[in-house]
Amino acid sequence: MKRVITFFVAILFILYSLDLKAQCNSGETEINFVASGVSGGWSDYALLMGTASSYLINNPGSNIECITNGLCYTVTLTGSAVLEVYQGGVLVATPTNGQTICFPFVASNPGCTDPIADNYDALATIDDGSCIYNNCNSISGFTYIGTIGSCCYYEYNDTTTWTAANVLCISNGGTLVSINTSLESDSLNLLLGNNNTGGNQHWINLIDGSSTWENGDPLLFTNYDVSYSAVNGDYMFLQNNGFWDNSPNDGSQSNDGIYPLMEICLSGCTDPLANNYDPTAITDDGSCLYTYPDIDSAFVSQPIICYGGFLTDEMQIDINQTNSPSIYSCIIGWYPLPGIFTSYVSTNQTTVTTLNVNALLPNIDYFVRVVDSTAYYNGNGGGPSGSSTAGIYDEFGPITFSEPAELVASTSIVSSNQCTGDCIAAEDLTITGGTMPYSFDITSSGGTSTQNLANGVSSYSFINLCADNYDI
């Protein structure tokens, strides 16, 4: 989970009649949440999580609330709970676990709900992930042919040499096309309509014999024609059958010449919360700048190797600092109940960009918080635990330390010595638990030796054993 949005948890009070009316203000809609299907405590019902508020349904039967118009909530059902949503006395929804519902409720109409997307649908009531962010400008002399991922593609309106094509693309803010995967190759051929019966041939950003694209990308993918043979100094182009071939750079190309094919990839800071948010960027290039520190990553840097050995484990936390480093505290804990945070360990105020924390308990879903100490502790009554999210810059998780089973070794007799002086006994050793690879010492009257087993091996056979006491 990344990026905490401040919310307030509101506990819905029990209302015993579907006809009982809440006193809703203008801009609000009366919604009745009717919980059923199970009996028991709060965990048997539902949590509605929104960006501005959340509702914990912890009572069976009717729960009436005034919901601000235009707000959406993700429904989490627990146990075998059933939640019915009534609006104006009419059952309008029976949401399933994970479903998002918006109020006032209207019949579901999936589509793109982001107003800045090219295919924004003002009638859509739920976002289905279909938003397209084109942001491809028209460029004089070029025809826009489409997008793949975050890149805009253009075909020049005339044939040129490879050198002239390269200059044209760079001077217009792009480069000749580089193709790095088979999926990108297939998508580009679809945009161009390549089918071996028509269409143009296009220069791409590769000089024959090179091991990298001319824009510096590594040459990880090729799609050469079967007749292709490397001739160092020739230049690569995309044929209308989708395959690559090479050609001289002198304007003598066949089939009426070769056209420049340009790509402009739109990247920048895509986080609206950042100081330098770029609404035209499609992919994030890691350039976002913040007025507060945020968590770049938190991960298990040293796992628990042995059962009970959590004192030596370690979590590493990497912080993106502001240009002028901000003071923060780091708090690690978990959620015993939705919206209720329990702190396990916290740091003093600091400005460092990397933290290493040891002795975290096994099999707990930890969440890491970066906070403004004053606001955070004041919001939680002076302590690090509670339901207030005041002062939280960022939250990241879950991070879980798995604990291996207890290390156990057992032996079984395969064969025994029959006569005095025999050395034919055999015994098998089996090891379970812990963390591979295993090693063990065996001590007898002859001394002690160490046996190291390969990773993945958990058994060992002792043979030709003489009468003696053996300790493993």
Side-chain angles (χ1 to χ4, degrees):
M1 178 172 110
K2 187 84 165 90
R3 187 78 51 220
V4 168
I5 305 299
T6 301
F7 63 89
F8 299 93
V9 175
I11 306 300
L12 302 183
F13 295 96
I14 303 175
L15 299 175
Y16 292 98
S17 171
L18 291 179
D19 296 325
L20 184 60
K21 300 297 183 182
Q23 300 300 312
C24 295
N25 298 320
S26 175
E28 296 179 335
T29 299
E30 180 186 298
I31 300 295
N32 189 7
F33 302 102
V34 179
S36 64
V38 293
S39 61
W42 70 268
S43 61
D44 291 328
Y45 295 98
L47 175 69
L48 279 77
M49 183 69 74
T51 58
S53 59
S54 296
Y55 298 98
L56 184 62
I57 310 298
N58 61 347
N59 297 299
S62 177
N63 298 266
I64 295 180
E65 188 61 27
C66 294
I67 307 293
T68 301
N69 293 339
L71 296 184
C72 299
Y73 299 85
T74 300
V75 178
T76 300
L77 300 173
T78 56
S80 55
V82 175
L83 186 66
E84 296 178 326
V85 180
Y86 288 82
Q87 179 176 296
V90 177
L91 177 64
V92 295
T94 305
T96 56
N97 192 43
Q99 182 177 342
T100 297
I101 55 175
C102 302
F103 300 101
F105 186 88
V106 296
S108 177
N109 181 26
C112 175
T113 61
D114 189 343
I116 69 171
D118 293 340
N119 60 331
Y120 167 59
D121 183 0
L123 299 179
T125 58
I126 186 169
D127 199 294
D128 61 1
S130 65
C131 294
I132 298 173
Y133 302 91
N134 190 327
N135 297 319
C136 298
N137 299 318
S138 60
I139 298 175
S140 177
F142 286 84
T143 299
Y144 167 71
I145 62 173
T147 61
I148 301 173
S150 63
C151 297
C152 308
Y153 290 84
Y154 302 84
E155 180 187 48
Y156 191 60
N157 296 332
D158 199 359
T159 60
T160 69
T161 62
W162 187 95
T163 299
N166 190 45
V167 171
L168 271 170
C169 293
I170 293 174
S171 64
N172 281 281
T175 64
L176 282 171
V177 164
S178 58
I179 306 170
N180 296 297
T181 66
S182 59
L183 178 61
E184 184 180 359
S185 177
D186 292 342
S187 299
L188 187 57
N189 282 312
L190 286 173
L191 287 181
L192 293 168
N194 286 336
N195 56 18
N196 205 28
T197 60
N200 297 323
Q201 303 185 106
H202 298 91
W203 289 120
I204 58 178
N205 196 22
L206 184 65
I207 297 176
D208 186 28
S210 298
S211 58
T212 60
W213 294 92
E214 292 306 296
N215 65 359
D217 289 345
L219 186 62
L220 302 176
F221 168 82
T222 59
N223 194 30
Y224 297 129
D225 189 282
V226 292
S227 63
Y228 163 78
S229 60
V231 180
N232 191 29
D234 283 351
Y235 295 77
M236 302 306 301
F237 69 99
L238 177 65
Q239 301 177 107
N240 60 10
N241 61 5
F243 291 98
W244 309 357
D245 207 344
N246 53 4
S247 176
N249 187 25
D250 58 9
S252 63
Q253 298 79 20
S254 60
N255 297 332
D256 299 321
I258 302 177
Y259 291 76
L261 183 60
M262 179 174 67
E263 64 180 358
I264 298 177
C265 295
L266 307 174
S267 60
C269 176
T270 60
D271 187 349
L273 298 177
N275 295 345
N276 60 330
Y277 168 57
D278 181 359
T280 66
I282 297 175
T283 57
D284 197 287
D285 62 1
S287 65
C288 294
L289 300 174
Y290 300 89
T291 55
Y292 54 84
D294 73 294
I295 303 169
D296 182 66
S297 65
F299 57 93
V300 175
S301 53
Q302 176 58 53
I304 300 174
I305 302 299
C306 298
Y307 177 78
F310 67 90
L311 292 178
T312 60
D313 66 20
E314 182 180 87
M315 179 191 298
Q316 180 171 320
I317 304 163
D318 295 325
I319 304 295
N320 291 323
Q321 260 292 7
T322 52
N323 289 341
S324 178
S326 299
I327 297 174
Y328 68 91
S329 292
C330 182
I331 300 175
I332 302 174
W334 62 83
Y335 288 93
L337 300 175
I340 306 299
F341 182 79
T342 297
S343 170
Y344 177 67
V345 64
S346 59
T347 70
N348 294 325
Q349 294 189 91
T350 182
T351 60
V352 300
T353 57
T354 298
L355 295 164
N356 297 99
V357 182
N358 301 104
L360 292 151
L361 299 173
N363 304 319
I364 292 176
D365 289 338
Y366 286 106
F367 289 81
V368 180
R369 287 179 165 182
V370 172
V371 305
D372 174 331
S373 294
T374 301
Y376 180 81
Y377 281 87
N378 286 343
N380 285 290
S385 303
S387 60
S388 173
T389 57
I392 297 178
Y393 292 134
D394 199 7
E395 182 171 298
F396 190 101
I399 306 101
T400 306
F401 288 82
S402 300
E403 182 180 40
E406 187 173 3
L407 185 66
V408 176
S410 60
T411 60
S412 59
I413 297 173
V414 177
S415 61
S416 302
N417 292 322
Q418 302 299 314
C419 301
T420 301
D422 277 357
C423 292
I424 60 173
E427 192 158 345
D428 286 343
L429 170 68
T430 302
I431 306 172
T432 59
T435 303
M436 293 182 177
Y438 298 125
S439 66
F440 62 88
D441 293 340
I442 180 166
T443 302
S444 66
S445 59
T448 299
S449 62
T450 299
Q451 181 67 46
N452 297 314
L453 302 183
N455 195 23
V457 176
S458 59
S459 61
Y460 186 81
S461 295
F462 300 97
I463 60 174
N464 301 326
L465 296 175
C466 302
D468 205 340
N469 290 322
Y470 298 89
D471 292 325
I472 300 174

